[in-house]
Amino acid sequence: MIRRTEIAALIAHPEIGKTYQLMGWVKSFRANRFIALNDGSTMNHFQVVLDLDIIKEEELKKISFHSCIQVTGALAKSQGSGQDFELIATAVTILGDNAPDQYPLQPKRQTMEFLRQKAHLRMRTNTFNAIFRIRHGVAFAVHQYFNDKGFFYLHSPIITGSDAEGAGEMFRVSTLDPQHPPLTESGSVDFSKDFFEHPTNLTVSGQLQAEIGALSMGKVYTFGPTFRAENSNTPRHLAEFWMIEPEMAFHDIDDNMELAEEFCKYLIRYILDHYPDELAFLDARLKEEEKSLPQDKRRALSLIEQLKFVADNDFEKITYTEAIKILQASKPYKKKKFEFPVEWGKDLQAEHERYLVEKHFQKPVIVKDYPKAIKAFYMRLNPNDTEVPGETVAAMDVLFPGIGEVIGGSQREERLELLKGRMKEANIPEEELWWYLELRQFGTAPHSGFGLGFERMVQFITGMSNIRDVIPFPRTPGNAAF
RNA sequence: GCCUCAGUAGCUCAGCUGGUUAGAGCGGCGGACUGUUAAUCCGUAGGUCGUAGGUUCAAGUCCUACCUGAGGCGCCA
């Protein structure tokens, strides 16, 4: 009795003349004889050659694009040029017929928009196969990196009670009957009758809970889904996305930036080292796609060249104040090409970030020390600097070419009175975050952390232009299918 | 949420300034093919041109509204 072999295992230890049994999906069927078979164990397809003296014609008829088959035969050196080995199949069993007259996918390029509507089938394509293999690899590398550095994986809650995290609109979580909710005497919904006896939401960030971890275990990170009910319609936003949030005691803003840079480079290097086939496929795909574009719209570096460049070169580190000076001295500013104003105190717009990253420095840039007025309440107030026009906080953003902000982070305000002051300015009631304030009241410590948008990193590494194509089941306004 | 563009066969697209029975490639179906690499070759079916209304002798083509999708911007990761 022959047992099934995974294609990856066969390729790792091929034995010419040995009989193997393979199972997989037909990726192409050429000349009524040659099958490119894939079982998911590797990115690459394996060639099966049918022995036409033995295989019956009615079996042949059922072999079609993406049908599932089992083949048995001896391994041989390939006579063709595209591969080293092939299986000479003397028996074929159809495991899953494919109804080819109804099957929507084709062995040719189809648009991402069409495939998005077929999320249950798109993973069978070479492109999505490569993307989701890499997505797994990045997730694995995240844990590898932090474990090696002595961080602890902290599971922050998905359902949260506080609505003061300030990172965007939230999805309400409730078991109340939406038709007939219990009402208070004043006529508003009585959430004391709800499951948690309090209004609750899906989390927008695990940061505040991560700070609890950092102030006892030293170095922790969260890695989980987060939810934002913003009506954002862009290729860089999802309503449900995964975020990685390390939080470290005794780290200042510069330690924080150093870690962020090292972490980004580690993830990219890990994929370069472990997923060369997938990257080669995506690299070729991008080159093919850009053939139809004019020269100036194409990428300066190929996907793999760009990943190597980012992994091997230092990120540029500047302050917000320096960024404003660079922008005000720039050509587009002088020619009034920027749509939004550039002045100290105003937030950097996408067009400004893009100029700094893609034109001026041509590498990833970390901008720090932003004006206090445009940043969150928990960011640490910087000491006064007479060179700088106003008060700043120890915040930092990591900006990547093509996708913009991939990381946002800060040193946290650990001084109780200053934090209370910032909360008052931001109209956040102290009762909402009493526990967050107690972290400062009892044994406070300087600490820092950042949030990395997981899908944005996967987007950068795979070169995909729309974030909906790097998560298996994207959730966006008006769309939660599958 | 705002702005712009698009919607023609199962898919990817063509259809010029409105004018006979709306085209191609791929895919499907039928057939050929014992060294193919998104195989190739021959034949064939398949479309109320996103929906509703309007202008006109005449609308896939012009106008209006709506629906769906994409891109840009904002919010951010």
Side-chain angles (χ1 to χ4, degrees):
Chain A
M1 171 87 184
I2 298 171
R3 301 191 64 191
R4 179 206 163 217
T5 303
E6 278 195 351
I7 290 171
L10 187 160
I11 291 170
H13 302 288
E15 289 179 52
I16 299 286
K18 185 181 167 183
T19 298
Y20 290 94
Q21 181 184 85
L22 306 176
M23 298 183 192
W25 292 272
V26 174
K27 296 296 177 169
S28 77
F29 185 33
R30 298 179 288 265
N32 219 17
R33 192 171 181 210
F34 301 92
I35 295 170
L37 195 71
N38 189 295
D39 66 2
S41 63
T42 92
M43 174 69 203
N44 301 316
H45 309 328
F46 188 78
Q47 173 148 295
V48 174
V49 184
L50 301 180
D51 186 332
L52 297 177
D53 295 333
I54 298 175
I55 310 280
K56 293 197 189 81
E57 190 158 335
E58 55 262 40
E59 293 293 299
L60 282 180
K61 296 230 183 234
K62 288 186 181 164
I63 299 170
S64 66
F65 183 58
H66 283 185
S67 59
C68 186
I69 61 170
Q70 168 189 303
V71 291
T72 310
L75 188 70
K77 267 218 172 304
S78 179
Q79 296 171 37
S81 58
Q83 56 283 315
D84 295 335
F85 304 100
E86 59 196 18
L87 196 78
I88 309 298
T90 49
V92 177
T93 307
I94 309 294
L95 300 176
D97 202 347
N98 196 8
D101 54 331
Q102 293 160 52
Y103 191 58
L105 300 193
Q106 288 182 37
K108 68 159 191 176
R109 191 190 156 274
Q110 291 181 291
T111 60
M112 291 295 124
E113 291 79 13
F114 173 72
L115 292 170
R116 239 169 258 155
Q117 295 164 8
K118 314 269 178 217
H120 59 309
L121 300 174
R122 69 175 184 172
M123 292 175 96
R124 301 180 182 192
T125 65
N126 296 332
T127 301
F128 285 98
N129 189 12
I131 292 166
F132 294 129
R133 300 171 85 88
I134 288 176
R135 184 182 165 105
H136 159 81
V138 180
F140 185 80
V142 166
H143 291 299
Q144 183 81 264
Y145 175 81
F146 285 124
N147 186 62
D148 290 351
K149 299 274 288 187
F151 281 66
F152 298 99
Y153 181 22
L154 184 82
H155 293 107
S156 52
I158 304 293
I159 300 171
T160 63
S162 66
D163 55 1
E165 293 166 42
E169 289 296 311
M170 303 178 112
F171 290 99
R172 170 137 283 156
V173 175
S174 175
T175 56
L176 295 177
D177 179 356
Q179 299 293 326
H180 308 285
L183 301 177
T184 61
E185 280 179 15
S186 63
S188 55
V189 176
D190 185 0
F191 285 104
S192 71
K193 300 272 186 357
D194 204 348
F195 186 89
F196 294 106
E197 301 178 6
H198 188 85
T200 47
N201 303 287
L202 294 178
T203 185
V204 294
S205 161
Q207 180 201 313
L208 303 190
Q209 288 87 359
E211 287 185 52
I212 297 174
L215 293 181
S216 57
M217 299 180 81
K219 290 182 292 189
V220 300
Y221 69 105
T222 72
F223 183 9
T226 49
F227 308 86
R228 309 242 170 125
E230 301 284 350
N231 191 7
S232 298
N233 293 291
T234 85
R236 299 178 305 281
H237 290 85
L238 291 164
E240 176 181 298
F241 66 100
W242 287 64
M243 192 152 60
I244 298 144
E245 296 177 287
E247 194 71 34
M248 303 78 66
F250 318 119
H251 281 52
D252 67 13
I253 187 72
D254 293 315
D255 299 326
N256 198 20
M257 286 163 60
E258 203 173 295
L259 185 86
E261 178 173 351
E262 187 185 82
F263 180 50
C264 288
K265 287 176 172 174
Y266 179 91
L267 297 181
I268 293 166
R269 175 51 62 193
Y270 186 91
I271 299 303
L272 281 167
D273 290 346
H274 292 82
Y275 291 84
D277 291 347
E278 286 77 2
L279 283 180
F281 178 85
L282 293 169
D283 190 281
R285 182 187 165 279
L286 270 181
K287 281 185 182 128
E288 188 63 35
E289 196 175 74
E290 292 192 346
K291 270 186 187 170
S292 60
L293 296 176
Q295 204 76 39
D296 62 315
K297 297 264 184 197
R298 298 184 197 171
R299 329 166 53 105
L301 298 175
S302 77
L303 178 64
I304 292 173
E305 286 166 350
Q306 183 173 49
L307 294 178
K308 283 182 178 161
F309 180 84
V310 171
D312 293 340
N313 286 281
D314 288 340
F315 294 5
E316 194 68 37
K317 297 180 192 70
I318 58 172
T319 65
Y320 166 87
T321 305
E322 286 163 352
I324 293 292
K325 281 181 190 156
I326 291 168
L327 288 165
Q328 286 177 341
S330 72
K331 259 191 201 155
Y333 179 80
K334 288 175 177 163
K335 290 185 173 171
K336 302 197 190 303
K337 287 278 170 62
F338 286 135
E339 190 188 338
F340 291 90
V342 180
E343 57 184 274
W344 203 98
K346 290 245 160 64
D347 206 356
L348 299 179
Q349 301 295 317
E351 57 179 353
H352 307 140
E353 296 179 349
R354 187 157 289 162
Y355 174 82
L356 290 171
V357 173
E358 291 165 20
K359 292 268 159 26
H360 190 80
F361 291 115
Q362 300 188 331
K363 54 159 68 169
V365 177
I366 310 182
V367 182
K368 71 164 180 173
D369 297 341
Y370 283 85
K372 147 185 135 164
I374 58 172
K375 287 290 178 185
F377 73 93
Y378 49 74
M379 297 184 176
R380 191 179 196 276
L381 196 65
N382 282 325
N384 272 329
D385 181 341
T386 49
E387 305 286 304
V388 174
E391 283 190 293
T392 62
V393 289
M396 61 102 173
D397 284 354
V398 180
L399 311 175
F400 266 32
I403 51 174
E405 185 178 347
V406 71
I407 282 178
S410 66
Q411 184 169 347
R412 318 306 189 189
E413 184 56 80
E414 85 281 13
R415 298 161 295 186
L416 182 62
E417 290 311 314
L418 284 167
L419 182 61
K420 279 184 177 174
R422 290 300 307 282
M423 284 173 67
K424 197 167 187 178
E425 286 168 17
N427 285 318
I428 297 167
E430 290 185 14
E431 312 86 74
E432 283 283 342
L433 290 176
W434 60 272
W435 52 271
Y436 191 68
L437 290 167
E438 284 196 0
L439 296 178
R440 276 71 180 167
Q441 192 179 349
F442 307 126
T444 192
H447 63 290
S448 293
F450 62 82
L452 173 104
F454 181 62
E455 282 78 13
R456 290 195 181 165
M457 182 54 85
V458 178
Q459 223 186 326
F460 181 74
I461 294 176
T462 57
M464 298 305 294
S465 52
N466 195 311
I467 200 165
R468 291 162 210 189
D469 299 326
V470 300
I471 186 166
F473 310 106
R475 252 92 260 230
T476 52
N479 201 336
F482 304 99

